Amino acid sequence: MALKPNGIDQRLDKLRMTARRLQLNPKLVSCPDWIKGKDNEYGRGMMGQYCLVLENTQLPHTRYQVIDGQWRPDSSFVDPTKDDVKLNIPSAIRSTHSHTNTAVKKTNFILDKAPLDLPVSIEPFVKGLLTKANTIVIYWEDIAYVRPSTNPIYQQKAIESDLLVLKQNLEKWALQMQKNTVR
């Protein structure tokens, strides 16, 4: 009995296995430094990363945080002093790619102020969104989704429908970004 996973671990396993079956590629990662994690501090704790790879898609490199139920561009990734929106490439990345042109292309933050529009059982736990190449990644506290204390309306039969809505939204956001990518 000591080796049997507790109820929350069993629920989390069911959630992640369902996500894997739906090709959402779940992973537990340390909280990125641009997202508020544990105790509302940037880069603190662990977080679920659900990644959707879209074939034949080219997405801009963007990062969004959730602020008041809306997607907002990550302020550390945007240079607000310029009239046109430019990416702010950290110096560590620039130095490793010094042989290439460091000019940064203008990007379009099409999801700025777009509502999350996710199921009520998922939306409060979503923290960030990242796009690059042919990938869209959502960061969220998936363990909070299965905990009775943080999600009292949890129902195991709703997992697949909730994740399908999440996947549909990721596809919709990626399509919006692809249509509006500055080439």
Side-chain angles (χ1 to χ4, degrees):
M1 286 302 285
L3 296 177
K4 185 177 180 189
N6 66 28
I8 293 174
D9 289 341
Q10 290 176 20
R11 289 175 169 193
L12 189 57
D13 182 57
K14 171 81 172 152
L15 175 69
R16 290 181 179 161
M17 292 306 286
T18 303
R20 189 168 284 118
R21 188 171 44 79
L22 296 174
Q23 298 175 331
L24 285 171
N25 305 315
K27 208 189 303 187
L28 182 66
V29 297
S30 60
C31 182
D33 61 0
W34 54 275
I35 293 178
K36 288 184 180 180
K38 187 176 181 182
D39 299 330
N40 219 18
E41 291 182 30
Y42 286 98
R44 187 152 183 243
M46 301 297 284
M47 186 164 292
Q49 170 187 300
Y50 287 51
C51 170
L52 182 62
V53 177
L54 302 161
E55 298 298 323
N56 303 319
T57 303
Q58 186 62 40
L59 299 171
H61 190 197
T62 59
R63 299 190 310 203
Y64 292 90
Q65 296 177 5
V66 177
I67 299 175
D68 297 328
Q70 299 176 333
W71 291 122
R72 297 305 316 262
D74 174 28
S75 60
S76 65
F77 203 56
V78 178
D79 186 356
T81 62
K82 307 284 188 223
D83 289 335
D84 53 348
V85 178
K86 293 197 179 272
L87 297 178
N88 183 12
I89 306 298
S91 59
I93 294 173
R94 274 197 311 268
S95 65
T96 60
H97 294 87
S98 60
H99 62 282
T100 61
N101 184 1
T102 57
V104 179
K105 293 180 182 174
K106 183 178 175 185
T107 190
N108 186 345
F109 290 99
I110 193 67
L111 295 183
D112 188 19
K113 297 186 180 178
L116 265 59
D117 198 26
L118 292 170
V120 294
S121 54
I122 292 179
E123 191 169 311
F125 311 118
V126 173
K127 301 294 183 177
L129 184 78
L130 169 74
T131 63
K132 61 182 178 179
N134 65 341
T135 306
I136 185 165
V137 179
I138 194 161
Y139 293 94
W140 68 301
E141 295 173 342
D142 58 351
I143 194 162
Y145 175 86
V146 299
R147 272 197 191 121
S149 62
T150 53
N151 186 9
I153 60 169
Y154 168 83
Q155 299 228 342
Q156 184 170 331
K157 60 186 174 205
I159 288 175
E160 187 164 353
S161 61
D162 286 349
L163 289 176
L164 281 171
V165 171
L166 175 64
K167 183 177 180 179
Q168 288 169 351
N169 276 318
L170 289 173
E171 290 169 342
K172 176 183 79 173
W173 295 326
L175 185 61
Q176 283 178 311
M177 283 188 216
Q178 186 180 19
K179 283 182 180 177
N180 293 294
T181 299
V182 176
R183 296 186 197 279

